[in-house]
């Protein structure tokens, strides 16, 4: 049964393609500024990826995909902050890291789009 392996490969390829959008946005932004500002744009885009990764790991994934509050009335997740519970679920056959990586690629790319 290769379903899980093929799903993982496909998700990783798609996430890499989304992440490569950073290169395109970087080229677009550097082409719109003077030569002296090119280094600032490159540094900004690199910093956006680092900050987006930290924020998505610590807070973002938990809010977006965490389990909701069982008492009702909540619109965001209350679990999976900072990767808590990922390893336990992986032992049960659920690959949260794969999903985290895929959604992180979109999170970082959106940060680059907005800051451009």
């Amino acid at each position: 049964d290769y379903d899980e392996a093929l799903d993982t490969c496909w998700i990783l390829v798609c996430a890499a393609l989304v992440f490569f959008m950073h290169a395109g946005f970087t080229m677009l932004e550097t082409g719109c500024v003077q030569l002296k500002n090119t280094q600032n744009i490159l540094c900004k885009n690199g910093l956006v990826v680092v900050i987006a990764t930290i924020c998505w790991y610590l807070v973002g994934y938990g809010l977006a995909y965490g389990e909701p509050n069982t008492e009702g009335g909540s619109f965001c997740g209350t679990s999976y902050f900072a990767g808590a519970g990922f390893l336990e679920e992986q032992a049960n056959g659920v690959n949260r890291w794969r999903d985290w990586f895929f959604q992180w690629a979109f999170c970082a790319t959106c940060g680059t789009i907005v800051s451009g």
Side-chain angles (χ1 to χ4, degrees), residues 81-92:
F81 293 104
F86 278 21
L87 294 179
E88 290 83 11
E89 289 200 8
Q90 190 168 4
N92 295 333

Side-chain angles (χ1 to χ4, degrees), residues 85-116:
F86 278 21
L87 294 179
E88 290 83 11
E89 289 200 8
Q90 190 168 4
N92 295 333
V94 178
N95 193 344
R96 293 268 179 207
W97 291 111
R98 174 188 66 194
D99 298 334
W100 182 92
F101 183 74
F102 182 69
Q103 297 301 332
W104 161 81
F106 284 97
C107 173
T109 302
C110 288
T112 302
I113 293 169
V114 171
S115 70

Side-chain angles (χ1 to χ4, degrees), residues 24-110:
F25 291 127
T26 300
M27 287 188 277
L28 175 68
E29 291 177 26
T30 56
C32 293
V33 299
Q34 294 179 3
L35 183 62
K36 65 179 183 169
N37 296 327
T38 301
Q39 196 171 19
N40 293 336
I41 296 294
L42 295 173
C43 183
K44 176 195 62 91
N45 284 350
L47 194 59
V48 164
V49 171
V50 171
I51 292 172
T53 302
I54 292 169
C55 291
W56 184 247
Y57 178 72
L58 293 177
V59 178
Y61 188 84
L63 289 176
Y65 295 100
E67 298 297 325
N69 191 353
T70 57
E71 298 172 6
S74 66
F75 68 95
C76 62
T78 59
S79 60
Y80 303 132
F81 293 104
F86 278 21
L87 294 179
E88 290 83 11
E89 289 200 8
Q90 190 168 4
N92 295 333
V94 178
N95 193 344
R96 293 268 179 207
W97 291 111
R98 174 188 66 194
D99 298 334
W100 182 92
F101 183 74
F102 182 69
Q103 297 301 332
W104 161 81
F106 284 97
C107 173
T109 302
C110 288

